[in-house]
Amino acid sequence: MPFIPHNEAERAAMLQVVGAASLDDIFSHIPAALRTSGLRLPPALSELELLRHGGELARRNQASGELVLFLGAGAYDHVIPAAVDELSHRPEFYTAYTPYQPEISQGGLQAIYEYQTMIASLAGLDVANASLYDGATAAHEAVLLAVHHTGRRKVLVDGAVNPRYRSALRSYARNLDIELVECAAGAEGGQSAGLVDETVAGAVVQLPDFFGRLCDFSALADRLHRSKGLLIVVLNPLATAVVKSPGEMGADVACGEAQPFGLPLSAGGPYLGFIAARNSLVRKLPGRLSGATVDGQGRRGFVLTLQAREQHIRREKANSNICSNQALCALRAAMFLALLGRQGLREMAEQCLAKTAYAKSLLAAIPGCALQLDGPGFHEFVLKLPAPAERVFSELLGRGIAPGLPLGRHYPDMQDCLLICVTEKRTKAEIDRLAAELRACLGR
Amino acid sequence: MTVELLFEKSQPGRRGYRLPALDVPAAGAGQLVGADLRRGAEPTLPELSELDVVRHYSALAGRNIGVDTNFYPLGSCTMKYNPKVNEAFAADPAFLNVHPELLSECGQGTLAALHGVERMLSEICGMAEFCLWPAAGAHGELAGMMIIKAYHCSQGACRRKVIVPDSSHGTNPASAALCGYDVVTIKSAADGQVDLAALAAAMDEDVAALMLTNPNTLGLFETRIAAVAEIVHAKGGLLYYDGANLNAIMGVVRPGDTGFDVVHVNLHKTFATPHGGGGPGSGPVGVAARLARFLPTPYIREAGGRFALQSDRPDSVGQLMAYTGNVGVILKAYAYLRMLGAQGVRRVAEHAVLNARYLCSRLKERYTLAYDQPCMHEFVMAGLTEPNGVRTLDVAKRLIELGMHPPTIYFPLIVHEAMMLEPTETESKQTLDEAVGKLLQIAEEAQADPQKITGAPRNTPVGRLDEVRAARSPDLVWKP
Amino acid sequence: MGTEGLRFTREHEWVRLEGSSAVVGITDFAQKKLGDIVFVELPETGKQLSAGEALGSIESVKAASEIYCPVAGSVGEVNSELADSPGNINKDPYGAGWIAKLTGVSSADVGKLLDEKAYQDLIAGEE
């Protein structure tokens, strides 16, 4: 049996010690009526057969080297340094459990502390936790934080927040005494500012927003603070290597998806939810926190701290039920940020900006195409086509390019629009090819 | 000997990973992002070479232990060996590079594997269908609560309460509360199992569900489960299965056959995906046939060998995450299940229980067995039989000194000075005998030289840490 | 400071009547069970509370506990020193570790709470 080391003699000796006649006998106290007669599962494979099977399955996926991705919409194709894979595969990291015994987990705990530092700083805020599941669930945790902190039940959600996140927020809020008010998408928090009053716990906006636009939410932050509400910004943390951070805009909470930091697209996960906040909110943060302290000899060490917030202590009174998080993903993100470093991350963000500007200039020049919702942006923009976006999408996909997301999937009045993403990985040749393929497809 | 932080090692101008040179006109952030939208203060990111970073994380790895390096008998966590072939299987670039928006078009292989997991989990648990997307066990519990609420509301009365036993894991009441339920906690019977009288007294038509782990958190099989199911179902309630302890009964008992209506499993426990230092895990949720229409979206539809993600389930509780959960983790569970087969699954449970019972038999002279009943895959001890002032916390720290990860301590809450041991099936008799040796040595030391234990650990990078200071004056980020 | 003249609740709060004000804290039994206290969530002054309503909460490293309002009243004053020195509750639970002062309380309500002997009996049962 794979992975079970016992031989016959050992099994027999152990059965004797426990006083059982056979392996079946050890279940004899379970009523027979409850026991199953056997499972129908595919026959067991050896390691070699399994890898062959894996190869067959992999070949049924579109060959990765051939598809050029201009598709983002919440999951982004970025560089991943080889060292990230190598280092995160150290068994002391990936076969470890949650660091509840700090003396033998200082490696993991220090790595989390360093990750918290970098994420909080990118968000421009005081503290960050050790990770959440993904951007959508992180947004939900931020909503819960605002509701618990203010004691109010109404939360405004801007229409330019990722539609998938908004859908998840609705799924969770439905079961709680939380009223989500969805506001029409607009610049600078759109309609939200006008709806802020003393019944509002907070407002959720996104930076860059789903259409790729950058806005300064400082005015919205002020408006919320005047009535003691919180500003929550769903953030792409890569953008704030160069862009004004939520903290600098007066936000109280930043949350979102840190998948751009060293995590492959991987069909949707595992990704990396994050949450950061001002110091005044630290005791309301969900999830694990690694804190610095000292031991009996004054040596610096790290422990999971403020655990009295969490479910294993508060039980039904906890603000969040999170236990396992995305620890190894946070480790990869920290390694990524350490390898890119201050200059490298800034350069990466600047390359996204430059390549996106180049793509915009090429594509806007195609007759019949026009930039929509244009303005300061990061690495995504909206292109209006003189044809249904789904048709163009399918055709180009068949030719090895994912030209962007057809926005009609989420916004019914945008059936002719594509959300196009250009990261540092896209070469000039690939961008030129996108323009050429689009022209050909549109007959222009 | 401290390992300096990344920021403390930073050297101005030092670079690590290098991007290719920019091949389009450089406009510079200054022109493209106006001054009003540009970042002010520099972010706290280090400046290091690749070698600096490699040495840093290698040093940190040296201050951590894992299943690969040490025996790790954490009760309730199922720290079994993580087969390396699962890592190799899941690391194929064709799996790693699929964009989630293109899963149906470009991910037929991935979808086939996911569908395979869904079918195998349904078979193992006796459920009609699983949703694979919850990212962790607690997330699966929340999804289960959402499904239960949707079901009751569809029946005309949403019901307001959920019952949990006092031995339950904290995520159970927390998940119920996060779905808007009031939590009722019932005291366990003297034998550690569900108290039928207490359950009957608490059960009424305002109770949506009872959440149970089986074997329970004491490692005991709930032999009265049929009666428990009867009490709950008779009042129209649903029975929820927390699958944390599935390792004890896989292939022997199917939760669905014993009356459970909703189930979650932990891929990072029972199905051997790595714990990762705290995640990512995966907590798929499964249901009986009549509840399938409430499962979260999307679901995987198979037709003529082709797979598609569909969302046409009007009664679904909705979307749980942005995309489709921790796919990379689920692929590893697929690989694991394909190597086990039906016989392998059963052998896992048999040896998990044999190993636990063996350990228990050899320890119960010197450690107080909390409940004198046949244990399943884990067991709980209430500290030393002759403590002489030595607490469970001290035993744990001395075990660290002796080179073993300690068991789970101070859980479940209903056992005083609790120590919960779960060896798992992947440990050999030699490893177990060594562990017994260490624990018996500690029992001796508690009598002869308790100082040796209460001062532990002394051979680790740090000794016992000031957790009071860490909580009173939280220091959660480095400041220059 | 000692326990003379105090009244107690089943949830391990103590009350000292001072005219029509009541000083509230948690007992020595409670602080021992919690261990080193790391944080106290205090109510807002002016808040109206009924008996049994949550007045605040106390956190230690390994536990958290609600503080329940023992008698109806209005929060007059809170012990702001607990923000920097939560350990005062451990060191001096009946003195410097006081948590809040309620105004407008009824002495009859206070009289209905457990006296010292009844409270000692209660904790003897819980040990």
Side-chain angles (χ1 to χ4, degrees):
Chain A
M1 278 298 129
F3 319 121
I4 295 174
H6 309 63
N7 63 30
E8 269 312 312
E10 289 163 340
R11 222 180 338 258
M14 293 171 78
L15 283 169
Q16 193 171 64
V17 167
V18 308
S22 66
L23 282 178
D24 277 338
D25 200 28
I26 60 177
F27 297 113
S28 58
H29 66 300
I30 297 179
L34 300 175
R35 282 183 260 152
T36 186
S37 51
L39 299 178
R40 282 160 315 182
L41 295 173
L45 300 176
S46 66
E47 177 166 323
L48 183 60
E49 290 163 325
L50 175 65
L51 288 174
R52 239 182 236 141
H53 172 58
E56 282 161 14
L57 288 176
R59 277 188 289 283
R60 284 159 66 179
N61 280 2
Q62 170 135 17
S64 57
E66 290 166 17
L67 186 64
V68 182
L69 285 172
F70 286 97
L71 169 56
Y76 300 100
D77 184 24
H78 288 290
V79 294
I80 300 179
V84 172
D85 278 335
E86 175 112 0
L87 290 170
S88 62
H89 265 95
R90 297 270 317 225
E92 300 90 341
F93 288 135
Y94 90 89
T95 69
Y97 185 62
T98 305
Y100 287 124
Q101 296 288 355
E103 299 89 343
I104 40 178
S105 318
Q106 286 301 294
L109 285 163
Q110 180 169 334
I112 296 171
Y113 181 83
E114 292 166 343
Y115 161 83
Q116 285 166 189
T117 300
M118 294 189 280
I119 286 286
S121 171
L122 283 167
L125 290 166
D126 302 320
V127 295
N129 87 349
S131 70
L132 298 171
Y133 308 135
D134 78 338
T137 50
H140 170 58
E141 294 280 6
V143 163
L144 287 179
L145 195 162
V147 163
H148 285 123
H149 180 71
T150 61
R152 303 170 185 174
R153 50 183 296 281
K154 192 191 292 184
V155 176
L156 310 175
V157 184
D158 185 68
V161 168
N162 187 322
R164 291 176 170 279
Y165 292 18
R166 285 187 282 118
S167 176
L169 288 180
R170 286 194 294 271
S171 303
Y172 296 119
R174 188 180 307 153
N175 297 298
L176 294 167
D177 187 22
I178 293 178
E179 185 192 345
L180 296 177
V181 176
E182 303 217 15
C183 308
E188 289 170 21
Q191 188 188 52
S192 305
L195 295 174
V196 174
D197 63 23
E198 273 76 25
T199 67
V200 170
V204 184
V205 293
Q206 182 166 315
L207 179 77
D209 70 11
F210 189 66
F211 306 111
R213 295 177 303 182
L214 298 171
C215 324
D216 192 332
F217 297 113
S218 301
L220 179 59
D222 284 338
R223 180 67 198 87
L224 283 159
H225 293 155
R226 265 182 277 137
S227 55
K228 295 213 174 81
L230 301 184
L231 177 61
I232 298 167
V233 177
V234 174
L235 173 68
N236 178 341
L238 174 60
T240 48
V242 296
V243 170
K244 190 171 184 180
S245 65
E248 289 167 307
M249 295 178 184
D252 303 281
V253 181
C255 60
E257 183 56 68
Q259 172 270 327
F261 294 160
L263 297 172
L265 289 165
S266 191
Y271 285 172
L272 178 54
F274 75 88
I275 191 165
R278 302 224 170 262
N279 257 330
S280 53
L281 298 171
V282 70
R283 286 177 197 272
K284 299 247 166 42
L285 275 177
R288 298 176 182 144
L289 292 166
S290 174
T293 183
V294 293
D295 72 358
Q297 295 178 275
R299 292 175 291 194
R300 178 177 67 192
F302 302 91
V303 284
L304 289 180
T305 191
L306 301 185
Q307 289 192 56
R309 295 163 300 122
E310 297 186 70
Q311 44 72 33
H312 56 291
I313 290 176
R314 291 265 183 180
R315 297 176 68 87
E316 63 268 18
K317 301 210 172 72
N319 286 348
S320 167
N321 70 339
I322 190 165
C323 184
S324 287
N325 54 21
Q326 305 284 101
L328 197 71
C329 300
L331 181 66
R332 287 181 67 103
M335 291 168 170
F336 174 92
L337 291 170
L339 288 162
L340 270 288
R342 178 182 298 188
Q343 285 188 61
L345 199 71
R346 188 193 316 129
E347 185 182 327
M348 185 169 154
E350 285 171 352
Q351 284 207 3
C352 288
L353 285 163
K355 295 190 185 216
T356 301
Y358 177 69
K360 272 166 112 169
S361 67
L362 281 195
L363 299 181
I366 299 174
C369 294
L371 298 173
Q372 290 286 106
L373 303 173
D374 199 17
F378 182 52
H379 63 0
E380 287 181 288
F381 60 96
V382 179
L383 187 72
K384 191 173 153 88
L385 308 169
E390 289 285 357
R391 172 173 81 67
V392 173
F393 174 83
S394 297
E395 249 183 68
L396 262 60
L397 197 61
R399 299 179 60 73
I401 302 184
L405 183 78
L407 278 169
R409 293 182 185 185
H410 298 299
Y411 300 91
D413 55 346
M414 297 181 89
Q415 302 292 339
D416 52 359
C417 292
L418 276 177
L419 178 67
I420 300 175
C421 175
V422 189
T423 69
E424 77 292 343
K425 269 183 84 172
R426 299 287 74 84
T427 62
K428 178 175 180 298
E430 287 172 341
I431 301 170
D432 291 342
R433 183 175 153 218
L434 171 65
E437 293 278 2
L438 259 180
R439 279 181 186 269
C441 175
L442 295 169
R444 309 295 169 111
Chain B
M1 202 196 59
T2 28
V3 175
E4 279 188 313
L5 297 171
L6 291 167
F7 324 104
E8 293 166 336
K9 294 177 178 170
S10 186
Q11 293 295 329
R14 205 171 271 183
R15 298 288 306 262
Y17 180 85
R18 309 271 184 166
L19 288 165
L22 188 62
D23 57 359
V24 299
Q31 288 165 262
L32 296 165
V33 178
D36 56 326
L37 279 169
R38 217 173 311 143
R39 190 186 173 99
E42 288 269 14
T44 309
L45 294 172
E47 295 178 271
L48 299 163
S49 70
E50 180 168 320
L51 180 56
D52 290 334
V53 175
V54 169
R55 289 233 171 99
H56 178 79
Y57 284 102
S58 299
L60 291 185
R63 295 172 149 233
N64 242 35
I65 67 169
V67 174
D68 275 13
T69 55
N70 298 72
F71 182 36
Y72 226 110
L74 280 172
S76 221
C77 302
T78 312
M79 301 297 291
K80 65 170 75 181
Y81 172 66
N82 311 129
K84 304 311 168 213
V85 64
N86 299 346
E87 302 298 308
F89 180 95
D92 194 311
F95 293 137
L96 293 178
N97 295 334
V98 180
H99 192 289
E101 291 284 354
L102 301 175
L103 197 42
S104 292
E105 296 94 330
C106 303
Q108 286 297 307
T110 299
L111 287 172
L114 295 177
H115 187 255
V117 173
E118 190 277 313
R119 293 287 78 221
M120 290 189 280
L121 290 177
S122 295
E123 173 66 6
I124 289 169
C125 296
M127 291 285 122
E129 189 178 337
F130 264 80
C131 165
L132 303 176
W133 315 143
H139 203 199
E141 290 172 42
L142 178 58
M145 290 295 107
M146 290 163 72
I147 291 164
I148 288 169
K149 184 166 258 197
Y151 165 79
H152 283 299
C153 292
S154 80
Q155 300 294 103
C158 292
R159 303 195 177 206
R160 287 171 308 177
K161 299 185 282 186
V162 164
I163 301 175
V164 304
D166 56 1
S167 56
S168 63
H169 192 272
T171 51
N172 287 176
S175 302
L178 277 156
C179 193
Y181 284 118
D182 295 326
V183 176
V184 174
T185 305
I186 56 171
K187 221 164 160 313
S188 299
D191 66 356
Q193 293 185 42
V194 170
D195 183 327
L196 293 180
L199 177 61
M203 187 65 208
D204 60 29
E205 277 165 19
D206 200 26
V207 171
L210 167 67
M211 297 178 85
L212 265 197
T213 314
N214 192 13
N216 61 29
T217 59
L218 299 163
L220 306 170
F221 189 86
E222 292 277 352
T223 51
R224 301 188 287 269
I225 184 66
V228 167
E230 169 59 33
I231 292 171
V232 174
H233 289 149
K235 294 274 160 77
L238 295 177
L239 201 51
Y240 179 88
Y241 182 76
D242 178 333
N245 290 337
L246 185 62
N247 210 46
I249 60 169
M250 276 211 293
V252 179
V253 177
R254 303 199 315 165
D257 298 343
T258 66
F260 287 98
D261 305 291
V262 182
V263 158
H264 93 265
V265 297
N266 302 64
L267 299 188
H268 49 294
K269 295 184 180 189
T270 320
F271 299 98
T273 70
H275 279 79
S282 179
V285 63
V287 295
R290 73 190 187 292
L291 299 169
R293 62 192 168 111
F294 303 109
L295 283 169
T297 48
Y299 66 94
I300 303 173
R301 199 173 65 97
E302 192 248 325
R306 259 199 93 74
F307 300 92
L309 286 177
Q310 305 272 99
S311 290
D312 55 341
R313 254 183 187 157
D315 296 326
S316 165
V317 296
Q319 210 170 319
L320 296 180
M321 299 181 74
Y323 293 108
T324 43
N326 290 336
V327 173
V329 173
I330 304 169
L331 289 178
K332 295 179 190 181
Y334 176 77
Y336 179 69
L337 280 166
R338 291 306 310 266
M339 275 192 83
L340 285 185
Q343 263 211 318
V345 162
R346 195 191 155 96
R347 289 284 175 268
V348 163
E350 288 169 346
H351 289 82
V353 176
L354 177 63
N355 274 359
R357 221 170 271 177
Y358 176 74
L359 256 190
C360 180
S361 307
R362 297 208 47 206
L363 289 172
K364 61 184 187 187
E365 307 298 306
R366 305 304 301 270
Y367 291 85
T368 309
L369 188 55
Y371 293 88
D372 196 5
Q373 285 167 53
C375 70
M376 295 291 283
H377 67 314
E378 67 190 8
F379 58 97
V380 181
M381 314 210 102
L384 289 157
T385 48
E386 293 161 82
N388 197 22
V390 170
R391 301 186 56 216
T392 287
L393 179 70
D394 304 310
V395 173
K397 300 305 182 188
R398 180 71 176 124
L399 276 172
I400 288 173
E401 221 168 37
L402 293 174
M404 193 179 116
H405 194 285
T408 298
I409 55 175
Y410 300 107
F411 178 78
L413 302 172
I414 60 172
V415 175
H416 190 57
E417 294 292 307
M419 300 167 45
M420 188 189 337
L421 288 98
E422 180 186 353
T424 84
E425 73 284 0
T426 55
E427 299 297 339
S428 68
K429 183 172 176 296
Q430 285 75 22
T431 305
L432 300 183
D433 289 337
E434 249 181 69
V436 167
K438 289 171 184 170
L439 283 158
L440 293 181
Q441 175 186 334
I442 293 175
E444 280 307 314
E445 287 171 354
Q447 300 308 304
D449 188 9
Q451 265 287 336
K452 215 168 182 175
I453 307 172
T454 54
R458 279 156 298 231
N459 61 353
T460 44
V462 294
R464 298 196 199 189
L465 291 157
D466 189 349
E467 299 194 32
V468 176
R469 169 177 160 154
R472 280 191 184 155
S473 325
D475 171 356
L476 306 173
V477 298
W478 178 79
K479 292 175 196 53
Chain C
M1 201 163 170
T3 57
E4 322 69 45
L6 298 182
R7 289 279 169 167
F8 302 87
T9 67
R10 308 200 80 84
E11 285 76 35
H12 309 288
E13 289 95 16
W14 57 260
V15 181
R16 184 170 65 243
L17 194 57
E18 290 177 353
S20 70
S21 290
V23 186
V24 180
I26 65 165
T27 64
D28 190 48
F29 177 81
Q31 71 81 10
K32 277 206 187 90
K33 268 198 122 185
L34 281 166
D36 286 297
I37 289 167
V38 302
F39 182 72
V40 184
E41 192 173 0
L42 297 164
E44 271 184 34
T45 48
K47 194 162 184 204
Q48 275 287 118
L49 292 164
S50 45
E53 235 188 298
L55 183 133
S57 67
I58 298 186
E59 289 174 24
S60 66
V61 169
K62 297 283 185 233
S65 213
E66 308 281 293
I67 317 164
Y68 296 101
C69 190
V71 290
S74 177
V75 180
E77 214 187 310
V78 296
N79 185 353
S80 48
E81 275 186 32
L82 293 176
D84 287 326
S85 309
N88 284 351
I89 295 181
N90 297 113
K91 283 185 281 204
D92 189 11
Y94 302 109
W98 69 274
I99 294 171
K101 280 188 185 140
L102 300 167
T103 57
V105 305
S106 132
S107 52
D109 284 348
V110 176
K112 287 199 204 112
L113 299 173
L114 302 172
D115 65 13
E116 173 140 21
K117 172 149 195 324
Y119 181 65
Q120 291 299 330
D121 288 342
L122 173 75
I123 58 184
E126 287 198 16
E127 245 139 22

